[in-house]
Amino acid sequence: LPLWSIVLGLVLGLLGSIAINTGNNIQSLGLKELQEKEKLDELDHGGSDEQEKPERAPSESKTWVVGTCIFVSGALLNFASYAFAPSVMLAPLESIQFVTNIVFGRLLLKKQITRRMVLGTLLIVGGTLMSVLTAGLSQPTSLSGRPHSLKRQYMGETDNSIAYLVQLALSISGVFVLYFVHRRYERAFSKGTPLKGHKYVAPATYACFSAIFGAQSVVQAKCLAILILYYVDRSEPGGLPGLGTAFLNYWTYLTLIAWLIFVAVWLYRMNEALGLYDPIFIIPLLQAGFIIFAIN
């Protein structure tokens, strides 16, 4: 890959990650404002009747809407970055969110930032720099971007694809295990008999479950970006020139649908986490899981 392409991909990835975290924190601020309004509504309705508490949708908060727009814009920038730089370099850059999360957590959410948080953030940034600097600068030779090449990868017809399919099978198994463990802990907590370690196990299983979908969205985003570039640069014999040819191949639709599903689950879970757990804790946990699964 040319140097300009890698630099552009890194810049887009950094801007996208910062926008995602900024949007997350603004969304959290909007949800916090709604909770305060709901408390006032509860007082207006007598403060005791659960059925009379009005439920406020997140979209009622302009702050949350603004945060969502920034969040979605960041996700689109991240998607665009995969067309210009290797995913093994872009995935670790998500750790910039650890830095911005501390900054925005302190400024927007008025959270207390401890020395351990700062030290942990510095260690993560150092590890990220090492990952980016040691990552390969070329596209995988086994994935040329041609539709039939992608199909061979998924059909297990190459050595590299075997490893990916094994990893995919393990990820699917992990999704089920994490889901049932998380569900068991949450049920016990809702009954008033929390299991040992609930404070850490519940958010950890939630984050890992979500991150698996996020990591798969990276794979599909990279495949889709390579496909689009392939069709833009070339025209197949007897077909439409340029990008129009892409929409005559079913593999384009399969990749697009897979990416939309994975990214929708990942973005939804990230947003839902803000209402379930402390943002200063769950956002880094989500990103740590995402980076680990995406690099693998």
Side-chain angles (χ1 to χ4, degrees):
L1 287 176
L3 181 60
W4 68 264
S5 177
I6 294 173
V7 172
L8 178 58
L10 294 177
V11 170
L12 291 175
L14 282 172
L15 292 177
S17 295
I18 292 173
I20 286 174
N21 189 257
T22 303
N24 273 151
N25 280 279
I26 294 177
Q27 284 177 318
S28 180
L29 182 62
L31 293 175
K32 186 177 179 181
E33 292 174 352
L34 284 178
Q35 289 175 354
E36 293 175 354
K37 291 180 179 179
E38 286 175 351
K39 290 180 180 179
L40 294 176
D41 292 339
E42 182 181 344
L43 293 175
D44 292 340
H45 286 79
S48 59
D49 191 349
E50 293 288 335
Q51 294 182 347
E52 291 186 357
K53 291 181 184 179
E55 294 184 359
R56 289 180 176 268
S59 57
E60 293 183 34
S61 169
K62 292 182 179 180
T63 303
W64 183 88
V65 172
V66 171
T68 300
C69 292
I70 296 175
F71 179 84
V72 172
S73 299
L76 293 175
L77 284 175
N78 262 354
F79 169 71
S81 69
Y82 290 108
F84 301 99
S87 56
V88 71
M89 295 182 69
L90 294 172
L93 289 181
E94 295 279 341
S95 66
I96 190 65
Q97 297 189 39
F98 292 104
V99 179
T100 54
N101 193 56
I102 285 182
V103 174
F104 290 119
R106 180 70 181 89
L107 298 178
L108 290 180
L109 305 179
K110 308 301 180 183
K111 298 289 184 178
Q112 182 179 0
I113 307 302
T114 64
R115 290 184 179 180
R116 290 180 62 184
M117 291 180 181
V118 175
L119 178 60
T121 300
L122 292 176
L123 290 174
I124 290 170
V125 171
T128 299
L129 290 175
M130 292 180 62
S131 297
V132 173
L133 293 175
T134 57
L137 300 182
S138 61
Q139 297 282 9
T141 55
S142 60
L143 184 60
S144 63
R146 298 174 183 271
H148 69 267
S149 298
L150 285 175
K151 185 176 180 179
R152 289 183 61 206
Q153 293 286 324
Y154 282 102
M155 295 296 104
E157 298 177 7
T158 66
D159 293 337
N160 291 336
S161 63
I162 297 286
Y164 170 70
L165 292 176
V166 170
Q167 190 265 348
L168 182 61
L170 292 174
S171 296
I172 294 173
S173 301
V175 163
F176 284 103
V177 172
L178 290 166
Y179 172 78
F180 286 112
V181 171
H182 179 79
R183 187 177 179 183
R184 181 167 181 261
Y185 270 78
E186 287 298 325
R187 279 186 172 180
F189 182 78
S190 63
K191 292 179 180 178
T193 56
L195 298 175
K196 185 177 180 180
H198 175 272
K199 180 179 179 181
Y200 300 104
V201 175
T205 51
Y206 181 96
C208 289
F209 176 94
S210 307
I212 289 176
F213 285 88
Q216 290 303 318
S217 74
V218 169
V219 175
Q220 301 306 321
K222 188 63 179 179
C223 291
L224 188 59
I226 292 175
L227 274 174
I228 291 174
L229 289 178
Y230 169 76
Y231 282 112
V232 167
D233 294 338
R234 302 171 179 83
S235 60
E236 295 184 344
L240 297 175
L243 187 58
T245 315
F247 299 101
L248 299 180
N249 193 304
Y250 74 93
W251 203 255
T252 302
Y253 294 98
L254 291 179
T255 306
L256 177 61
I257 292 172
W259 175 71
L260 288 174
I261 292 174
F262 285 126
V263 80
V265 174
W266 170 235
L267 297 182
Y268 171 79
R269 297 278 294 185
M270 287 182 70
N271 182 63
E272 185 185 47
L274 300 177
L276 298 175
Y277 306 103
D278 184 358
I280 204 72
F281 174 68
I282 193 62
I283 292 177
L285 197 58
L286 285 164
Q287 293 307 321
F290 172 82
I291 293 171
I292 291 172
F293 288 116
I295 292 177
N296 291 334

